[in-house]
Amino acid sequence: MSFYQFYKEQILHANIDDVWEYISSPINLKEITPKYMGFDITSDLMDNKMYPGMIISYKVSPVLGIKTTWVTEITQVRDKSYFVDEQRVGPYSIWHHQHIIEQMPNGVIMKDIISYRPPLGFLGAIANSLFIKSKLNEIFEYRRKVLDLRFNASKMKEKIAPTQ
C-alpha cells in the first residue's frame, strides 16, 4: 500500500498570537476551504479553541460533488506552536496533518505536513497520481490566498502606498 506526504509552507506578515488565534479555531476551517467542496461543520463546537481529544465532524464533497462525512480528532496541541489532526472517519485509510507555526523576524512561517494513505490499495495509488495530489495542492493554494488576504494584504498596501 502506498503512503504519501504533502508539504506546504507560507510566510504570514503577522504576529504569532494573531495567526494562532485564527488557525486554532475550527470555526475558521470553512473560510479557508474552497466553496465548491461544500464544507460544513456538523459537530457542536461550543468551545472555539482546539484541544487534545477534540472531535470535529463535517460534511465535505471532495470528488464529483458527492457528500461524505469526515471526522477528525485533534490529537496534539502546543499553544502558539503546532497542532495535529488525525482522521477517524473519512475518505483516507490514513490522514495525519501537522499544522506548525514558528515566529520569524518578519512574521510567522506556517508549515503543513500531511501524511496520508488513499483507500483501495493500488487503485488509491493511481487516484493519487491522477487527482488526489493535485487536489490537495489546489485546496492549499486556495488557503494560501485566503490567508494572504487576511494577514498580508495590509502589509502589501503599506509597501506600495506612496510616501508623502
Side-chain angles (χ1 to χ4, degrees), residues 4 116 118 123-134:
Y4 304 96
Y116 67 99
L123 292 176
I126 293 169
N128 189 67
S129 295
L130 292 176
F131 65 89
I132 293 172
K133 185 171 38 173
S134 64

Side-chain angles (χ1 to χ4, degrees), residues 12-105:
L12 300 171
H13 300 289
N15 70 59
I16 201 160
D17 294 327
D18 291 342
V19 173
W20 181 257
E21 181 74 22
Y22 185 81
I23 69 165
S24 66
S25 174
I27 299 300
N28 294 324
L29 287 169
K30 185 172 180 114
E31 185 178 330
I32 62 172
T33 303
K35 308 289 182 252
Y36 70 83
M37 292 192 65
F39 183 92
D40 287 309
I41 295 174
T42 57
S43 53
D44 184 18
L45 298 176
M46 296 301 287
D47 187 26
N48 200 24
K49 285 289 157 219
M50 291 183 181
Y51 57 86
M54 179 182 224
I55 301 291
I56 306 169
S57 61
Y58 39 95
K59 295 282 188 187
V60 65
S61 304
V63 180
L64 303 172
I66 300 166
K67 281 276 189 195
T68 187
T69 298
W70 199 331
V71 178
T72 58
E73 178 180 356
I74 305 302
T75 58
Q76 300 174 47
V77 178
R78 178 175 286 160
D79 193 47
K80 299 176 190 163
S81 184
Y82 69 87
F83 67 91
V84 175
D85 67 84
E86 296 181 10
Q87 176 189 283
R88 296 298 178 238
V89 175
Y92 292 89
S93 295
I94 295 174
W95 176 272
H96 180 272
H97 183 180
Q98 300 171 66
H99 308 254
I100 302 164
I101 61 171
E102 298 170 5
Q103 187 70 59
M104 297 176 43

